[in-house]
Amino acid sequence: MSESGITRRRVVTGTAVGAVGVPLLVACGSGDGGSGADSSGDTEPAGSGPLVAVSEVPVGGGVVVADRNLVATQPTEGTFKVFSAICPHRSCPVTKVAGGSIDCPCHGSRFSIEDGSVMQGPATSPLEEVSFEVTDGEIVPS
Ligand code: FES
């Protein structure tokens, strides 16, 4: 009687380990993908010091400084603006300034180089404006 009880326990234990092992492998695979996406989604506007020389910002256009997640524009000669490069729609970084707009490649939103306002959705809120100073011919976010 007791011997058959031990045997049953061993069988049950072996089955339990096998059943748990399979889902763990699946969980590890999806976990790796998730953490990779998190690290690449680090979109904090950061850094200090000069962003770009004013001479490098075209009149009626702008420059995306990708490693700072910022965009500097010059809507009219001598007037500069700095915006977050992170699209308020789904947080993609904008990649281009052309034709008076700052463009997001993900879903096509376009923002004004003058005030960051939405010129074309799906975004419904403007790019965040960032304060700055011009020091020694350089735009320096403050
Ligand atoms: S994330 Fe920019 S348009 Fe969707």
Side-chain angles (χ1 to χ4, degrees):
M1 289 286 259
S2 65
E3 277 182 28
S4 103
I6 290 169
T7 303
R8 267 192 210 130
R9 252 181 253 139
R10 283 182 182 156
V11 169
V12 168
T13 301
T15 303
V17 167
V20 169
V22 172
L24 276 178
L25 289 175
V26 172
C28 286
S30 64
D32 288 346
S35 66
D38 287 346
S39 64
S40 67
D42 182 7
T43 54
E44 180 185 349
S48 58
L51 181 68
V52 64
V54 294
S55 60
E56 294 178 40
V57 183
V59 177
V63 175
V64 178
V65 183
D67 63 349
R68 299 278 292 273
N69 284 325
L70 294 171
V71 184
T73 66
Q74 187 175 189
T76 57
E77 188 165 358
T79 302
F80 297 91
K81 298 279 186 166
V82 178
F83 304 99
S84 166
I86 304 306
C87 180
H89 178 234
R90 295 275 170 86
S91 300
C92 284
V94 300
T95 55
K96 179 173 86 169
V97 182
S101 68
I102 302 165
D103 302 346
C104 179
C106 287
H107 310 99
S109 289
R110 294 171 52 231
F111 305 90
S112 167
I113 62 169
E114 294 179 23
D115 57 9
S117 61
V118 177
M119 296 172 70
Q120 177 179 300
T124 57
S125 53
L127 290 177
E128 181 185 342
E129 195 163 346
V130 173
S131 60
F132 66 94
E133 297 173 353
V134 176
T135 305
D136 296 332
E138 304 262 11
I139 293 175
V140 184
S142 51

